[in-house]
Amino acid sequence: MTQDSHTTRKILVTSALPYANGPIHLGHLVEYIQTDIWVRFQKMRNHECYYVCADDAHGTPIMLRARQEGIEPEELINKTHTEHSADFADFLIEFDNYYTTHSDENKEIASTIYKRLKADGHIDVRTVRQAYDPEANMFLPDRFVKGTCPKCGADDQYGDNCEACGATYSPTELKNPKSAVSGATPIEKDSEQFFFKLGDFQNFLHEWLDAGHTQSEIANKQKEWFADGLQDWDISRNAPYWGFEIPDAPGKYFYVWMDAPMGYMASFKNLCNKKGIDFDAYWGKDSKAQVVHFIGKDIARFHTLFWPAVLHGAGFRTPSSVYCHGFLTVDGQKMSKSRGTFIMARTYLNNLNPEYLRYYYAAKLSSGVDDIDLNLEDFQQKVNSDLVGKYVNIASRASGFITKHFDGKLLSPLHDKAYMNSVHDTKNLTAEAFENREYAKAIREIMKHADNINQYFDDKKPWLLAKDENKLAELQEVCSRTLHGFYMLSILLAPILPATCTKVARELFGLDRNFIWDDLESFPQTINKFKPLMTRIEQEQTKKMIEESRDNITSASAAPATGPLADDPIASEIEFDDFAKIDLRVARIVKAQHVEGADKLLQLTLDLGGETRNVFAGIKSAYNPEELQGKLTVMVANLKPRKMKFGLSEGMVLAAGPGGKDLWILNPDEGAQAGMKIK
């Protein structure tokens, strides 16, 4: 359904909070680009629309990461906030406020909501059995316990979920558990914990889901939890824990999933304090504003069950809409560090125009929850064809005739009723598609109009008209109508290509502001000299991006952007036959040296028992070259050589560890011999 652009709406929009223990990657950007396009469209329609977000800055993973790096959690989250802010800004994600959950506003809101829920009987306190470290004398948060998954048998899994099979469980269910603090085997011990009584809101949630606040497939999925009755939700963790202490409960902290969604409110509260906005007009129980969440489908349960129930129970309004999207695949597969398709935002930005990715994602996105695929060959072809070959080409072909022959003066095409009818049809269909998050449909309408404009220009052959002085009037009319089409396309594309369309508005058409939607009803009278707007993507650019992503494999492994409000794709599974093809050999490091211009690489000369190999290894953060010389290690001997900008790498050295200084090459016993095959 469309919304009247002249009926001003109050809209607060959020995206899921990226976790503050690692960088932004292209999988994350699906959501932020989708949201930003929708927000820019609403603002162009003159609605009072605010877009807020924040780093999700609490929880055990952040505490562990800070401990690994030897810094305080505050230093880690501040550093990450700076990096996230820069990545988002460079991808033209325009937040009205980008904040952090580790804030005074969030602490106050979390405390208020908890106290209201407790006062109304929605908080239960009970004794549970939890993992306890008998040597460190402390209860262990979920991620301070590691062991064997009780579901699939995978080793070295955290105490809350298995990264191999995706199962969730409690730390007491792990097999062969070990404490990450002391290495001791945990014991079970009684602990008092706090629970939110989600079952109190079962009827309310059933009605809320039936009211169309989220996609039907998401609503139906959540209703499966109702069959056995909604279970109480554990909202507390024992010290040590990085987060907010629960009021009147020393040593107890809010579980990160309790205070993280409140970060939406806290970020907006911070904006309200800076801009003088009425907070209650958006979050008060009687608010008439829209509150819209864009999230990944993996966190739908928290946003469509726990979050509405918590808000309702605490006397706040509930979300108007929770829009879920699917995941990103690259070249048809899960993002892979080994293939170089686990691409960080900054790696992309170092190689390609951010608007190209914005456009490609838009061309793939619908209102559904299906995954989308970034096919790099198709990406290059579509950007070159649509944006360079169709859109920008219109202005570059027509503008020269107007500036050369008519001093930049344009004629209005408003008298051409057939043409103007097509303009209005495209405008209305595109507006409806944007409103309903059917971006792929919007792109199809826009590009269909671009094709019509290019076809009109080709049919009229202005290059021939320009040679006949008696046809100059027709030339001006043809080129003016063509440039009106470009003007219109630029307005329609402005939510997707904000930087380019700002240049078009200000530099080409001489406006003193950016485009607004109502500009579709008018047309400027003059045009300035055309300046190039976009260049084609060359295959070398995408290849270089993939190579750099492979080079960054160690740092990417050390700093995954995972957390309660972020997804983290893992590499695709392989068959045993695939693994059996790998030739693992003992190698002696006869020489190790720094690589000029590489932050993470060491150059190793490896002896395989009479044969030497040159290998670039991303282990510089953990080793000095001199301490490696003479050591035995394990390498993949049959890996296809890979040309890097530093030289040819003829294999791969195996290493393990969380990253940074905590990274260890595999080091066989001295009894092993160089060249020995490992079976």
Side-chain angles (χ1 to χ4, degrees), residues 93-321:
I93 310 297
E94 194 172 60
F95 298 112
D96 290 284
N97 201 46
Y98 189 71
Y99 205 37
T100 173
T101 59
H102 189 63
S103 68
D104 292 339
E105 293 91 343
N106 204 33
K107 186 174 183 179
E108 178 187 350
I109 289 169
S111 177
T112 297
I113 288 178
Y114 169 78
K115 288 177 180 178
R116 290 182 183 181
L117 293 173
K118 184 179 179 182
D120 286 345
H122 301 306
I123 301 295
D124 190 24
V125 182
R126 68 180 72 147
T127 299
V128 298
R129 301 286 283 175
Q130 287 192 294
Y132 185 85
D133 187 326
E135 292 186 13
N137 295 315
M138 59 179 281
F139 284 100
L140 295 170
D142 298 347
R143 292 211 157 207
F144 275 65
V145 185
K146 300 193 82 173
T148 302
C149 172
K151 307 292 184 182
C152 74
D155 291 328
D156 200 35
Q157 298 303 312
Y158 287 113
D160 54 356
N161 74 284
C162 176
E163 294 182 344
C165 71
T168 58
Y169 41 73
S170 70
T172 56
E173 295 179 86
L174 275 178
K175 297 177 182 178
N176 308 313
K178 296 292 181 184
S179 166
V181 179
S182 69
T185 300
I187 62 174
E188 289 188 23
K189 196 171 181 178
D190 286 345
S191 174
E192 191 177 72
Q193 296 298 334
F194 295 74
F195 290 80
F196 172 59
K197 296 162 70 174
L198 186 63
D200 291 354
F201 301 92
Q202 183 151 331
N203 291 336
F204 161 75
L205 288 171
H206 215 296
E207 293 175 2
W208 188 87
L209 289 169
D210 283 340
H213 294 293
T214 189
Q215 293 108 314
S216 59
E217 56 265 55
I218 296 294
N220 292 335
K221 184 67 177 176
Q222 304 319 307
K223 288 177 187 177
E224 294 176 7
W225 295 96
F226 288 58
D228 298 322
L230 294 175
Q231 301 299 305
D232 292 351
W233 180 37
D234 183 358
I235 63 167
S236 63
R237 293 294 184 269
N238 293 313
Y241 193 77
W242 175 241
F244 294 140
E245 199 167 33
I246 297 175
D248 304 321
K252 303 292 182 184
Y253 290 78
F254 286 124
Y255 173 44
V256 60
W257 259 113
M258 181 66 174
D259 69 65
M262 298 170 194
Y264 301 137
M265 303 173 76
S267 183
F268 186 60
K269 181 75 169 177
N270 180 256
L271 179 66
C272 291
N273 293 339
K274 291 188 289 189
K275 300 288 188 180
I277 303 166
D278 183 0
F279 179 84
D280 290 334
Y282 288 82
W283 284 107
K285 194 167 188 176
D286 298 324
S287 168
K288 304 301 181 187
Q290 291 176 263
V291 172
V292 179
H293 298 310
F294 284 79
I295 63 164
K297 61 185 178 182
D298 58 325
I299 54 175
R301 181 182 169 206
F302 293 97
H303 283 78
T304 59
L305 291 179
F306 299 130
W307 183 228
V310 164
L311 288 169
H312 183 69
F316 289 100
R317 58 87 44 79
T318 54
S320 311
S321 304

Side-chain angles (χ1 to χ4, degrees), residues 469-496:
E469 289 189 4
N470 295 322
K471 294 185 177 180
L472 290 182
E474 185 181 354
L475 173 67
Q476 187 177 18
E477 183 175 345
V478 167
C479 291
S480 294
R481 180 174 140 178
T482 300
L483 288 166
H484 176 271
F486 181 75
Y487 175 83
M488 175 197 176
L489 291 173
S490 299
I491 298 168
L492 298 178
L493 286 167
I496 300 170

Side-chain angles (χ1 to χ4, degrees), residues 8-14 35-52 94-97 268 271 277 282 289-292 294 435:
T8 302
R9 297 147 60 192
K10 289 180 179 290
I11 315 170
L12 173 62
V13 184
T14 76
T35 314
D36 185 75
I37 291 170
W38 198 79
V39 168
R40 287 179 181 273
F41 168 71
Q42 302 301 340
K43 289 182 176 181
M44 286 183 70
R45 305 263 279 185
N46 200 35
H47 297 309
E48 185 178 312
C49 183
Y50 300 106
Y51 180 19
V52 301
E94 194 172 60
F95 298 112
D96 290 284
N97 201 46
F268 186 60
L271 179 66
I277 303 166
Y282 288 82
Q290 291 176 263
V291 172
V292 179
F294 284 79
E435 179 65 40

